[in-house]
Amino acid sequence: MFPLEPTFFNIVVTLIGYGLALAGAGFLFRLVGRKVTNNKPYFRDMPGGVAIGFAIGAFAIAWVVYTYIQAQLAEGPAANKYFFFLVAVHGIIIFAVAAYIFRFLGRLIGTEGTKKAFRQMPVTAAFGIMIIVLYAIVSIFAGVIAPYGQEEIVGNANVVPGGDPAMGGDPAYLLGTDQIGRDILSRLIYGAQNTVGIAFVTTCLAFLIGTTFGFLAAVKGGWMDQICSRTVDALMAIPQLIFALLLMTIATAWAGTNNVLVMVYMVIIIAVLDSTRVFRLSRAVGINIVVMDYIEAAKLRGETLPYLIFKEILPNAYAPLLAEFGLRFCFVFLTIASLSFLGIGIKPPLADWGTMVRDLSGFLNYAQFLPLNAALPLMAAGAIALLTVGVNFLVDWMLHRSSGLKE
Amino acid sequence: MNSVLGIILQRLGLGLLTLLVVSVLIFASVNALPGDFAEAILGQGATPEAVASIREDLGLNKNPFSRYFSWLGGVLTGDFGTSFAQANMSSFAGSDTGKGGIESVAAQIAPRFKNTLFLAGVAAAIAIPLALTLGILAALYRNSVYDRAVNVTTLSAISSPEFFLAYILILFLAFLNPILPSLSNIYDGMAFSERLQKTLLPALTLTLAVTAQLMRMTRAAIINLLASPYIEMARLKGISPMRVIVRHALPNALAPIINVVALNLAYLITGVVVIEVVFVYPGIGQLFVDSVKIRDIPVVQACCLLFAAAYILLNLIADIMSILSNPRLRHPK
């Protein structure tokens, strides 16, 4: 990529050079297009930016293909350099194909309703559903899928991943073992149960608190609304991760060495902090619903407050709340992962992705020589990213659909 | 013009009030700690007499209200107290080293806060122009291949945890192609170019996280405007699409965009925590995490207040800017 010595200055110069070359290529492309097609409007009216865009796109595709061929041709230590590139390319292709197949199957199998939904959705949303189903299966059946227990010390410490005895691996431990001899594959699988499970429980709790108070504030109004809203304002004035860290300091002091208690406190703290956002949304949605005539009618019928909230408001606030649930889950999941990554939160013997990333991150240094080892921390981090990306893709489509497909 | 000044003063007052409430919240949560500062400083082998004398010294035997106000008074004059870790170290060293050896929290925080601001500044300098350009282009060529590719990429960048982005950048830019250093050991008196080079990788990670959000908001703001009648009119006049966006849509989209920029800057200030830890960048976020781990309460308190103040200030700026750029808000009925 860089013919010159890779110093900072040379790279900047090279990048500028590439930019100018691409701009030139774009204008050349438009010029040639005009000449060849005898000044067709498509080329004649093409803005310069679009022409350069075509050049950049073509260059990017050419670069990926070129690097891919290089990667296939490279052998021995030189191939290590391309390992991650190949994994990324293959991963994207495999997931894209799988999502297409999943959507195709979804259109064939299921009830009329789900078939219709699958016919309408873009492939990214199908990808999201596929990922969520996959993670749900893995986390529920972690005990069956994982070859070993999460706290079980199965063999030697630091067995190299790959399962090749010649390289210092062991076929019994496909991804090797960690610094005290626990099977990393099993811990990754159990991580789905622990990390996702805890995030899910936390999100449910946040929704329970947030929607209850939000709807109460919407229905009751007056001082109830004022107290709830001002409390939420105050809580939201401190950045969430910072506040969570502050409260976790106090929680760990209270819990002492009791790790289970620390996690219970963490769930409560994050749920309360996140419920502020849920409160805002459900109050806003609720206020719009409360002024409807059917609520008036229900009130005149003498219905109780729980009936109003659960039977009249909740069903009508379902769509925005569901989308918010997806988003909240992502935020909670990322917050918990970040806390664990920082060493506060889900505590050791339990397998957890955030903690695993931190513990294994040292292997990244070996990227040139032992790419599989270096891939371990990225696997744990990628497991987190894959789920949040999937959920976000799905939520994006749901929001787009509920906004009435404008633009 | 008077009404504008009035509104701004009102917002400023509200901001100060929020900050006051936040300080009460922080103080109250720290007071919920079991034991108190005296026991924490002396540790396990504290004799009741020693605890009592330290309580006397620090005024811990007073009631919470007067303690809160003396803390607040100290904060207002720039005195955040003494860090526990530093206090412990000086007690190991013996009392004859005197007060001179103990660094106050303020002295500990100040250089790190500068570093964090530098990191956030570099990230913002890359992210804001990049995001605005990408966002405008995405709005211009919406529903094209470009728009979809950018949409998928930014959505993935937003949803990934920061440490994932950070490690991927480290992998490709530091280990596989040794272009940038993977650790940011910044110190005082460093040449600017070297400092910039060491800050670039964390700044790029922050840029990835922020650009995505900023770009999507810019795109949404401009697309919302493109449905207005005056844009239709401009198109019918035969102006080029780029001119329609830059001359007609952008000035009106400025308010939401400034708002988003300010909010994302707030994110930059607070989102640095994880990234500073990954890159061992000597900023305030790393100090905060370290202090949380060893429960160094005065430092935690001070960092928390500082983060909250920055967050509130940027939100306030966003608020005021959007009022100033919108005549309808400037002259409320």
Side-chain angles (χ1 to χ4, degrees), chain A residues 185-359:
Chain A
L185 179 65
S186 306
R187 284 181 71 75
L188 267 182
I189 293 170
Y190 271 104
Q193 200 169 46
N194 299 330
T195 319
V196 178
I198 289 177
F200 188 74
V201 170
T202 312
T203 318
C204 290
L205 193 60
F207 257 74
L208 197 68
I209 303 170
T211 48
T212 309
F213 281 101
F215 287 148
L216 262 182
V219 176
K220 284 275 184 186
W223 58 268
M224 179 80 193
D225 187 16
Q226 282 300 325
I227 292 178
C228 290
S229 297
R230 295 296 82 79
T231 314
V232 164
D233 283 350
L235 286 179
M236 282 174 91
I238 307 179
Q240 206 186 0
L241 186 64
I242 308 291
F243 204 12
L245 278 168
L246 171 74
L247 293 180
M248 282 305 289
T249 324
I250 295 152
T252 45
W254 276 106
T257 51
N258 190 340
N259 284 340
V260 179
L261 210 55
V262 172
M263 280 188 284
V264 171
Y265 283 143
M266 180 185 72
V267 167
I268 295 172
I269 287 171
I270 296 178
V272 169
L273 291 185
D274 253 284
S275 68
T276 53
R277 268 84 177 166
V278 182
F279 169 84
R280 283 254 172 115
L281 180 81
S282 45
R283 180 178 167 275
V285 172
I287 278 182
N288 281 332
I289 296 175
V290 164
V291 293
M292 294 285 177
D293 288 342
Y294 56 82
I295 300 289
E296 197 73 18
K299 273 185 187 162
L300 288 177
R301 278 206 309 275
E303 302 289 3
T304 57
L305 192 64
Y307 180 92
L308 276 179
I309 289 181
F310 289 109
K311 293 278 175 169
E312 299 284 353
I313 298 181
L314 196 59
N316 290 297
Y318 189 63
L321 283 183
L322 192 66
E324 178 68 12
F325 188 86
L327 282 183
R328 263 318 106 206
F329 174 77
C330 285
F331 277 104
V332 167
F333 188 52
L334 288 179
T335 310
I336 291 180
S338 301
L339 283 182
S340 312
F341 176 76
L342 296 174
I344 302 146
I346 302 181
K347 290 288 174 183
L350 281 185
D352 157 70
W353 289 332
T355 320
M356 286 178 77
V357 177
R358 190 192 43 171
D359 290 347

Side-chain angles (χ1 to χ4, degrees), chain B residues 4-17:
Chain B
V4 179
L5 210 63
I7 292 175
I8 290 177
L9 281 179
Q10 187 198 351
R11 293 297 149 116
L12 269 176
L14 271 178
L16 278 179
L17 187 70

Side-chain angles (χ1 to χ4, degrees), chain A residues 2 6 8 11 47 49-50 80-81 84-85 124 234-239 241-243 245-247 249-250 252-254 277 334 337-338 341-344 354 357-358 361 364-365 367-368 374 378 381-382 384-385 388-389 392-393 396 406-407, chain B residues 18 21-22 25-26 29-30 32-34 141-143 151-152 155-156 158-164 167-168 170-172 175-180 197 200 216 223-224 270 273-274 277-278 288-289 291-293 295 297 300 304 307-308 311-312:
Chain A
F2 301 112
F8 185 64
I11 288 165
V50 179
N80 285 342
K81 211 174 158 170
F84 293 96
F85 177 80
T124 45
L235 286 179
M236 282 174 91
I238 307 179
L241 186 64
I242 308 291
F243 204 12
L245 278 168
L246 171 74
L247 293 180
T249 324
I250 295 152
T252 45
W254 276 106
R277 268 84 177 166
L334 288 179
S338 301
F341 176 76
L342 296 174
I344 302 146
V357 177
R358 190 192 43 171
S361 64
L364 221 52
N365 285 308
Q368 295 261 24
L378 293 179
I384 297 168
T388 45
V389 169
N392 258 320
F393 277 161
D396 196 45
K406 55 176 185 226
E407 281 292 342
Chain B
T18 320
V21 172
V22 165
L25 261 179
I26 292 173
S29 32
V30 167
L33 271 172
Y141 303 112
R142 63 192 172 284
N143 298 333
N151 190 26
V152 168
L155 202 53
S156 312
I158 295 174
S159 359
S160 306
E162 284 118 349
F163 51 82
F164 184 55
Y167 282 132
I168 287 200
I170 289 183
L171 178 70
F172 282 103
F175 290 144
L176 291 181
N177 305 297
I179 300 171
L180 293 168
Q197 193 185 352
L200 208 53
R216 285 171 75 87
I223 283 183
N224 256 340
T270 61
V273 174
V274 173
V277 170
V278 171
F288 182 56
V289 172
S291 314
V292 164
K293 277 188 194 154
R295 270 183 245 147
I297 296 303
V300 170
C304 214
F307 278 124
Y311 193 68
I312 291 170

Side-chain angles (χ1 to χ4, degrees), chain A residues 99-182:
Chain A
Y100 266 106
I101 295 173
F102 183 76
R103 187 173 67 166
F104 181 71
L105 287 178
R107 287 173 179 175
L108 293 180
I109 308 161
T111 63
E112 268 316 304
T114 60
K115 277 187 196 169
K116 192 177 169 214
F118 271 106
R119 275 200 302 276
Q120 290 169 339
M121 74 176 54
V123 102
T124 45
F127 168 79
I129 295 178
M130 183 179 79
I131 293 294
I132 293 168
V133 170
L134 196 73
Y135 273 68
I137 293 173
V138 171
S139 56
I140 292 170
F141 299 106
V144 185
I145 300 171
Y148 304 98
Q150 56 178 326
E151 297 166 28
E152 194 182 340
I153 295 172
V154 289
N156 296 329
N158 293 324
V159 171
V160 173
D164 182 4
M167 299 282 287
D170 188 330
Y173 321 118
L174 260 186
L175 292 180
T177 56
D178 64 5
Q179 60 273 38
I180 57 169
R182 293 171 299 192

Side-chain angles (χ1 to χ4, degrees), chain B residues 10-322:
Chain B
Q10 187 198 351
R11 293 297 149 116
L12 269 176
L14 271 178
L16 278 179
L17 187 70
T18 320
L19 202 55
L20 203 66
V21 172
V22 165
S23 74
V24 171
L25 261 179
I26 292 173
F27 188 79
S29 32
V30 167
N31 264 278
L33 271 172
D36 63 10
F37 289 10
E39 285 166 18
I41 289 180
L42 291 173
Q44 290 288 322
T47 60
E49 294 82 27
V51 171
S53 86
I54 286 197
R55 274 189 192 144
E56 187 69 36
D57 277 356
L58 294 176
L60 289 179
N61 47 3
K62 290 182 192 145
N63 68 346
F65 284 103
S66 58
R67 268 190 293 139
Y68 169 72
F69 284 112
S70 70
W71 175 65
L72 195 67
V75 167
L76 288 179
T77 53
D79 175 21
F80 288 92
T82 309
S83 141
F84 283 177
Q86 300 282 345
N88 274 338
M89 254 189 274
S90 69
S91 69
F92 278 126
S95 54
D96 51 1
T97 49
K99 272 265 181 193
I102 306 176
E103 230 185 336
S104 71
V105 174
Q108 224 179 336
I109 285 182
R112 283 168 172 266
F113 191 57
K114 262 186 240 155
N115 285 345
T116 295
L117 282 183
F118 183 71
L119 172 61
V122 174
I126 308 173
I128 292 173
L130 186 70
L132 291 186
T133 319
L134 287 178
I136 291 173
L137 286 177
L140 192 56
Y141 303 112
R142 63 192 172 284
N143 298 333
S144 67
V145 182
Y146 163 76
D147 184 25
R148 276 177 208 172
V150 167
N151 190 26
V152 168
T153 321
T154 50
L155 202 53
S156 312
I158 295 174
S159 359
S160 306
E162 284 118 349
F163 51 82
F164 184 55
L165 298 176
Y167 282 132
I168 287 200
L169 283 182
I170 289 183
L171 178 70
F172 282 103
L173 293 180
F175 290 144
L176 291 181
N177 305 297
I179 300 171
L180 293 168
S182 68
L183 295 179
S184 320
N185 46 340
I186 306 268
Y187 48 86
D188 278 344
M190 219 172 177
F192 180 76
S193 65
E194 196 185 351
R195 196 187 174 95
L196 188 66
Q197 193 185 352
K198 293 209 163 155
T199 314
L200 208 53
L201 211 45
L204 278 180
T205 316
L206 268 176
T207 304
L208 266 186
V210 176
T211 305
Q213 192 75 28
L214 204 53
M215 181 250 132
R216 285 171 75 87
M217 299 286 216
T218 312
R219 176 182 178 276
I222 291 183
I223 283 183
N224 256 340
L225 275 174
L226 287 182
S228 346
Y230 65 88
I231 298 289
E232 188 98 46
M233 181 65 216
R235 271 202 203 119
L236 290 174
K237 279 196 299 190
I239 305 179
S240 77
M242 196 65 195
R243 205 176 147 78
V244 169
I245 289 203
V246 173
R247 292 289 305 227
H248 294 260
L250 201 54
N252 287 298
L254 225 46
I257 289 176
I258 290 174
N259 217 331
V260 172
V261 167
L263 291 181
N264 275 286
L265 285 181
Y267 171 82
L268 269 180
I269 302 276
T270 61
V272 292
V273 174
V274 173
I275 288 172
E276 280 182 3
V277 170
V278 171
F279 290 96
V280 203
Y281 187 90
I284 196 167
Q286 203 202 9
L287 177 71
F288 182 56
V289 172
D290 288 346
S291 314
V292 164
K293 277 188 194 154
I294 56 171
R295 270 183 245 147
D296 193 343
I297 296 303
V299 181
V300 170
Q301 233 171 357
C303 290
C304 214
L305 198 62
L306 207 58
F307 278 124
Y311 193 68
I312 291 170
L313 183 71
L314 283 163
N315 275 301
L316 198 67
I317 291 176
D319 214 19
I320 291 175
M321 286 303 227
S322 62

